[in-house]
Amino acid sequence: MNNSHPGEFILLGFSDRPWMEPPLFAVLLITYPMAMVGNVAIILVSRLDARLHSPMYFFLTNLSFLDMCYITSIVPQMLFNLGSARKTISYTGCAAQLYFFHLMGGTECLILAIMSFDRYVAICKPLHYTLIMNPRVCILLISTVWLTGLTYAVSEATATLQLPLCGLNKLDHLVCEIPVLIKAACGEKAANELTLSVVCIFMLAVPLCLILASYACIGHAVFKVKSSEGRRKAFGTCSSHLIVVFLFYGPAISMYLQPPSSISKDQPKFMALFYGVVTPALNPFIYTLRNKDVKGALVNLVRGVFTSK
């Protein structure tokens, strides 16, 4: 291991405001199991209910699995640090968190874009939907998304870990994240900042543009529908996805599409809490509360469990 890299990092978090730590610990202690239960429920009903065996729920299952991994990659460490005076993470643990956190984040950007394309085909080309979104295409799309997210995480995290830290082991953050490590590094890091910006334009801005283009076409098609019931149903299937898109992309863009050197002191902490904890916890409830099919499948699943008992 390079001598410029410390054996462990101190994650300062909100240690300068200790009054914030107990309520944040309590919120995470409630949010984490809630997110896990909600996402497991989405996966179970999507696999067990035959009515939900469609491309839309196939992608939703992948999103739920991803969200479980996403929140697990950071919350246990946050709880440990918030609940103890020793706010450290080993260098190896920090590197592992860096890879997993950005693998899940990069993959989620692309999954949300694929889900918007699925809605576009379903609403704008309904007669060709089963032909275009056949099982083989769905598996190919989701495999490409996961492979692209893996490539992004490995390349960016590895390049960041090569930066010298000159013995510094304090990170003013709750987790190990690429922009914060770049900001903490010493020496020449302009190339890393530029590379991160270029890659994030591809991972964030391009998928977001595809999502907006898909929904522009969807909106144009929906307003042509004469039936108000048909318009309401079409908007109902898209509104949940749009809410998730804005919850995830808003904080991610404000964090990653600016030079790490210009990031304010507390911005990374609140942004990481938002897209790493709040969004994965809310996703299952957004999709279930606004979707009659999923609510019906959940009711049937619960009823089946109690009936068997």
Side-chain angles (χ1 to χ4, degrees):
M1 187 182 294
N2 192 315
N3 289 331
S4 67
H5 293 147
E8 63 181 16
F9 288 102
I10 298 172
L11 296 171
L12 297 175
F14 295 107
S15 56
D16 57 334
R17 281 164 288 181
W19 58 269
M20 290 185 65
E21 294 187 345
L24 182 57
F25 180 86
V27 169
L28 291 177
L29 198 61
I30 295 169
T31 304
Y32 181 59
M34 186 175 71
M36 296 299 286
V37 170
N39 283 296
V40 167
I42 291 285
I43 293 171
L44 285 177
V45 298
S46 297
R47 303 314 304 159
L48 296 177
D49 196 310
R51 294 173 299 173
L52 304 184
H53 289 176
S54 67
M56 177 174 138
Y57 295 103
F58 171 71
F59 296 129
L60 181 57
T61 299
N62 275 269
L63 181 64
S64 293
F65 173 73
L66 183 149
D67 282 339
M68 289 168 59
C69 298
Y70 202 4
I71 198 169
T72 300
S73 70
I74 60 172
V75 170
Q77 182 66 41
M78 281 187 191
L79 288 171
F80 175 79
N81 287 353
L82 289 168
S84 67
R86 183 176 168 81
K87 304 180 185 304
T88 60
I89 183 172
S90 67
Y91 180 83
T92 305
C94 182
Q97 190 177 76
L98 202 69
Y99 282 109
F100 279 103
F101 186 67
H102 290 89
L103 164 63
M104 301 308 159
T107 305
E108 181 152 353
C109 293
L110 301 174
I111 284 184
L112 292 175
I114 294 297
M115 291 175 77
S116 71
F117 174 72
D118 173 69
R119 292 299 83 211
Y120 160 75
V121 176
I123 292 172
C124 298
K125 300 182 181 296
L127 298 179
H128 300 93
Y129 181 70
T130 54
L131 180 65
I132 297 173
M133 301 302 291
N134 62 68
R136 185 178 176 181
V137 169
C138 291
I139 292 171
L140 179 63
L141 285 172
I142 207 67
S143 301
T144 304
V145 161
W146 279 99
L147 184 60
T148 305
L150 179 63
T151 304
Y152 156 71
V154 169
S155 58
E156 277 298 318
T158 302
T160 303
L161 291 171
Q162 300 303 312
L163 287 170
L165 295 170
C166 302
L168 297 174
N169 72 332
K170 291 184 179 180
L171 298 178
D172 193 11
H173 201 7
L174 293 161
V175 297
C176 290
E177 200 171 359
I178 286 175
V180 177
L181 277 169
I182 292 177
K183 189 175 181 180
C186 59
E188 182 56 42
K189 51 192 176 183
N192 292 75
E193 291 190 351
L194 179 61
T195 304
L196 181 63
S197 297
V198 171
V199 172
C200 287
I201 286 172
F202 173 74
M203 296 297 293
L204 281 169
V206 173
L208 182 59
C209 289
L210 293 174
I211 290 170
L212 295 177
S214 296
Y215 278 106
C217 295
I218 289 170
H220 184 260
V222 167
F223 282 117
K224 286 184 177 179
V225 177
K226 295 180 180 179
S227 164
S228 59
E229 177 65 22
R231 285 197 299 269
R232 187 191 63 78
K233 187 175 181 180
F235 278 125
T237 60
C238 298
S239 58
S240 299
H241 182 248
L242 267 176
I243 292 169
V244 172
V245 165
F246 287 120
L247 283 175
F248 179 80
Y249 271 93
I253 286 174
S254 70
M255 182 68 182
Y256 282 87
L257 291 187
Q258 62 174 314
S261 55
S262 67
I263 294 172
S264 63
K265 182 177 182 290
D266 287 331
Q267 183 183 352
K269 304 169 194 175
F270 291 111
M271 293 300 100
L273 284 172
F274 205 89
Y275 55 71
V277 179
V278 175
T279 304
L282 289 180
N283 282 359
F285 299 96
I286 292 170
Y287 279 107
T288 54
L289 293 176
R290 302 181 65 85
N291 190 311
K292 290 192 294 186
D293 292 336
V294 177
K295 283 193 288 187
L298 277 171
V299 169
N300 291 338
L301 178 65
V302 173
R303 187 182 294 140
V305 169
F306 281 105
T307 303
S308 63
K309 286 183 178 181

